[in-house]
Amino acid sequence: MHSPGKGHASSGTTRKHAHGHMSSNGSAASMQTTADPNELLVVADQHPANLFLGPEELVVTGTHRPSITSAAASFVLKRGSRTSSKRIPYDIILDVKLERQPSLDDLLLTVHCLKTSTDAELRTLKYEVPVHHELVAQEWIERLLAHAYPATRRHRRFKVFVNPASGPGKAKAIWQTKCQPIFEAAGCHLDVSFTEGRDHAKQACQTLDLEKYDGIAIVSGDGLVHEILNGLALRTDARKALMTPLAALPAGSANAFGVNVSSPARGRNPAYQCLVAIKGRPMSIDLASVTQGSQRYFSFLSQAFGLMADVDLGTEDNRWMGDTRFVLGFVQGVLSERTYNCTLSMRIVGQGTTKESKGALVDDHKKRATDTIAQEGSLNSKDYSLPRLRFGTVQDPLPEQEAIPVSIDKPLDVAPGLSKWTTFRGPVSTVYAGLQPYVAKDYMPFPLACGDGLIDISIALPLSRYEGLSGLDGAGEGNTLHHSNVQYYRVEAYRLTPEGRATKGKVAKVHNEKSEEVKSNEVSPVLAKEYISIDGESVPYEPFQVEAHRGLGRTFTLDPSGSLYKPDQWK
């Protein structure tokens, strides 16, 4: 393959690329194609033009020669006549069509593309091709589309769920004005449903004929992703259904799913996320089983107890603010100095409770992130049932010989890989667990999450106002892991039991040699509301247990490495 212009005659020689008589309307009725299969000679706005397939982009070159009219007997492209060009990266080319024009002798070649990968503005480029060169043009189009879709199916089929009530309430407009036109320009087949209330999509997914779709596009926030996953999990072919890739088209408050797939900027851009759905390769993601009472459901993102649950669920009335509501809720929670009592049992694989152990944990993470282990979500048989729970449910007793009670502020030094149940008790500011690094564009509490079948847990001990507010510094880069009041664990499973109700004010501490409790006069009455958040959804304030399943879910990605997005410092 050569670049445009190579192989052409020298500047003093005329090379005749095409010739022919012109129709009375000024279009090319007859043209002789070049010998190079990567080039196609066309007419654009009554001027000759050359379409060339380069290594990474379509190159369009034209001339400023006089317009072709019915009096012209032929036209010639000279090397020196190429005075204008534009380059269109293959990754923003959506589709190409060749159609007959009514009452005209020529064919219409239409290229549909985006202005840029992050701009929802569509571009349509139109060229004329002689009808008797239809076969040559079709072969050229196939080569172009092979560049535009090197490893994915064209014209994908999507079931689309749009939640009009999501986030600031702009999902319907985002779909109709930004997303739908892109999917249609790409020739995708769409089956669109607008949700009418809670669990609408969950119920629909239980009976969907998934063989009709290549993926499910979700125009909403993270709540609808959670709902759809749990609808798929209720099917008799649940394991197979959960392998249907989900595409997140951002229309909510945090849009963490898209952020984790693409990046904080691109993950919140509807045009880019449309490209991910249209052209991305399927990618495995970890899911987790949550058992609470007699129920089992699934989480894809995070589980929160304490301050972070309050931030998520206690700010629902401020959805109109977008993701700013989370910052406001965090500041209000820190200033109130709330503390929350719990018992937390974990199957620990790695931990970071000191500067040294956090450094070792980061080093271990970088090794694990490059390991190639068979995905749990792989279908090696026709057993499509959900994976079994290796550690039982929240109603099962923990193995007594492994349950080691430890004070939450003096954790046991568990050797990495020991993986025993270890139980901590005490007051905390928050217990935050996650399967993906980001929970919002500017907050990455789980920088070591890497799709390796483990759950990352960040425990913040009771915080002073200064400690809490200083924790905002570098939160978007994952720096909260290094906060002195944060303990970071990587676990196979965990169980959390709320103990009593949250209190407001300073925490009573042990200060004297007789271990007598010195009570603070600033402890206020219990708080009116208590929250546990699973993927941003409210669940009962009761004990729950979580267990990870590696690679059980699917999404799409444009990342060549096929992994969740992370800044370079955490790779």
Side-chain angles (χ1 to χ4, degrees):
M1 185 178 295
H2 61 269
S3 60
K6 289 187 178 180
H8 291 274
S10 61
S11 59
T13 304
T14 298
R15 176 181 176 184
K16 193 170 184 179
H17 285 276
H19 68 275
H21 299 290
M22 312 313 300
S23 61
S24 60
N25 61 13
S27 62
S30 172
M31 295 174 64
Q32 176 182 330
T33 60
T34 67
D36 190 335
N38 291 316
E39 287 186 282
L40 183 67
L41 296 183
V42 297
V43 170
D45 298 327
Q46 298 187 346
H47 291 279
N50 176 293
L51 307 183
F52 181 81
L53 303 179
E56 298 180 355
E57 57 196 0
L58 168 62
V59 182
V60 182
T61 57
T63 75
H64 287 170
R65 292 172 57 82
S67 298
I68 298 170
T69 67
S70 58
S74 66
F75 69 86
V76 176
L77 284 181
K78 289 185 178 181
R79 188 75 185 98
S81 69
R82 294 187 175 185
T83 57
S84 64
S85 68
K86 51 189 166 189
R87 298 173 180 269
I88 307 170
Y90 292 130
D91 60 3
I92 62 173
I93 293 177
L94 302 172
D95 202 10
V96 185
K97 295 181 179 179
L98 188 66
E99 302 170 307
R100 292 184 179 272
Q101 302 184 82
S103 72
L104 295 179
D105 296 331
D106 300 331
L107 300 172
L108 180 64
L109 175 68
T110 306
V111 179
H112 296 285
C113 61
L114 293 179
K115 188 175 181 180
T116 68
S117 64
T118 55
D119 192 330
E121 182 179 341
L122 285 168
R123 296 175 66 187
T124 302
L125 309 178
K126 296 184 177 182
Y127 307 98
E128 294 176 5
V129 178
V131 67
H132 59 277
H133 289 149
E134 181 175 3
L135 180 59
V136 173
Q138 288 286 12
E139 292 174 349
W140 181 88
I141 288 172
E142 282 302 310
R143 281 189 286 274
L144 169 57
L145 289 175
H147 284 292
Y149 292 86
T152 56
R153 172 179 177 168
R154 307 169 202 163
H155 308 146
R156 276 177 169 161
R157 306 160 301 163
F158 286 99
K159 176 62 187 178
V160 182
F161 287 102
V162 183
N163 178 10
S166 176
K170 299 179 180 179
K172 186 175 182 179
I174 289 173
W175 167 249
Q176 293 177 336
T177 63
K178 295 184 178 181
C179 298
Q180 184 175 355
I182 295 175
F183 279 94
E184 290 177 345
C188 294
H189 305 280
L190 306 173
D191 178 7
V192 184
S193 295
F194 292 89
T195 59
E196 298 175 357
R198 188 178 182 87
D199 290 340
H200 178 181
K202 180 178 180 180
Q203 294 169 4
C205 286
Q206 295 177 49
T207 57
L208 273 183
D209 182 1
L210 295 174
E211 296 298 327
K212 295 167 56 177
Y213 309 108
D214 298 305
I216 298 176
I218 305 169
V219 190
S220 182
D222 299 311
L224 193 59
V225 178
H226 174 88
E227 182 179 323
I228 287 172
L229 279 170
N230 281 282
L232 296 174
L234 290 174
R235 297 167 60 107
T236 56
D237 62 345
R239 188 187 292 243
K240 181 178 179 181
L242 287 168
M243 294 181 70
T244 304
L246 306 185
L249 308 182
S253 297
N255 304 298
F257 193 23
V259 168
N260 281 296
V261 168
S262 300
S263 75
R266 288 176 168 177
R268 294 171 56 82
N269 184 288
Y272 187 83
Q273 288 304 107
C274 286
L275 280 180
V276 173
I278 293 167
K279 296 192 171 194
R281 294 179 295 111
M283 176 180 74
S284 298
I285 57 171
D286 289 357
L287 302 180
S289 285
V290 181
T291 60
Q292 191 172 43
S294 60
Q295 289 188 314
R296 178 186 183 183
Y297 50 92
F298 285 85
S299 169
F300 75 97
L301 182 63
S302 64
Q303 309 91 45
F305 169 82
L307 174 60
M308 297 314 300
D310 290 356
V311 168
D312 199 348
L313 301 174
T315 60
E316 287 284 323
D317 292 341
N318 297 324
R319 281 183 171 271
W320 58 272
M321 300 176 65
D323 60 355
T324 303
R325 69 184 175 97
F326 301 125
V327 178
L328 177 62
F330 181 83
V331 172
Q332 290 176 334
V334 167
L335 293 179
S336 72
E337 294 185 294
R338 297 175 185 176
T339 61
Y340 309 79
N341 293 306
C342 70
T343 297
L344 178 65
S345 300
M346 299 183 285
R347 289 269 304 188
I348 298 173
V349 174
Q351 69 172 351
T353 57
T354 64
K355 182 177 180 180
E356 292 75 17
S357 61
K358 288 177 181 178
L361 193 63
V362 171
D363 292 340
D364 179 66
H365 150 74
K366 292 180 178 179
K367 174 182 178 297
R368 292 181 66 90
T370 59
D371 287 346
T372 54
I373 303 173
Q375 299 292 300
E376 184 177 348
S378 303
L379 290 178
N380 298 318
S381 68
K382 292 186 178 180
D383 180 11
Y384 298 152
S385 60
L386 292 173
R388 68 178 183 86
L389 293 172
R390 294 177 297 155
F391 305 108
T393 75
V394 70
Q395 295 179 324
D396 296 322
L398 294 175
E400 291 185 7
Q401 68 275 17
E402 296 185 13
I404 308 170
V406 180
S407 170
I408 197 75
D409 58 346
K410 294 181 179 179
L412 182 69
D413 185 15
V414 180
L418 182 61
S419 196
K420 299 288 187 180
W421 281 105
T422 304
T423 299
F424 300 140
R425 294 189 177 94
V428 298
S429 174
T430 194
V431 175
Y432 208 8
L435 300 160
Q436 300 181 10
Y438 289 88
V439 295
K441 67 178 176 63
D442 50 8
Y443 188 25
M444 184 171 64
F446 313 115
L448 306 189
C450 60
D452 58 357
L454 297 180
I455 306 164
D456 287 36
I457 299 181
S458 176
I459 304 173
L461 302 179
L463 301 169
S464 68
R465 293 174 179 176
Y466 173 78
E467 289 171 331
L469 293 177
S470 64
L472 289 173
D473 186 30
E477 291 76 45
N479 291 338
T480 51
L481 179 149
H482 298 296
H483 196 288
S484 60
N485 263 43
V486 169
Q487 299 174 7
Y488 197 97
Y489 297 88
R490 310 209 69 223
V491 307
E492 296 174 306
Y494 73 93
R495 177 183 298 183
L496 188 146
T497 302
E499 302 287 357
R501 304 182 70 183
T503 58
K504 188 175 181 180
K506 292 185 178 179
V507 182
K509 295 183 179 180
V510 177
H511 285 291
N512 56 25
E513 295 179 358
K514 296 181 180 180
S515 298
E516 294 178 356
E517 189 178 71
V518 178
K519 296 183 178 180
S520 167
N521 294 325
E522 298 184 35
V523 176
S524 66
V526 295
L527 302 175
K529 294 184 178 180
E530 297 162 326
Y531 299 107
I532 292 175
S533 170
I534 307 294
D535 295 345
E537 300 299 302
S538 181
V539 300
Y541 197 74
E542 300 171 359
F544 65 95
Q545 182 164 312
V546 184
E547 173 182 325
H549 306 290
R550 186 174 187 188
L552 186 60
R554 292 289 187 275
T555 186
F556 292 111
T557 182
L558 288 175
D559 187 289
S561 68
S563 58
L564 296 173
Y565 172 83
K566 283 187 181 182
D568 290 341
Q569 72 198 73
W570 295 108
K571 292 181 179 178

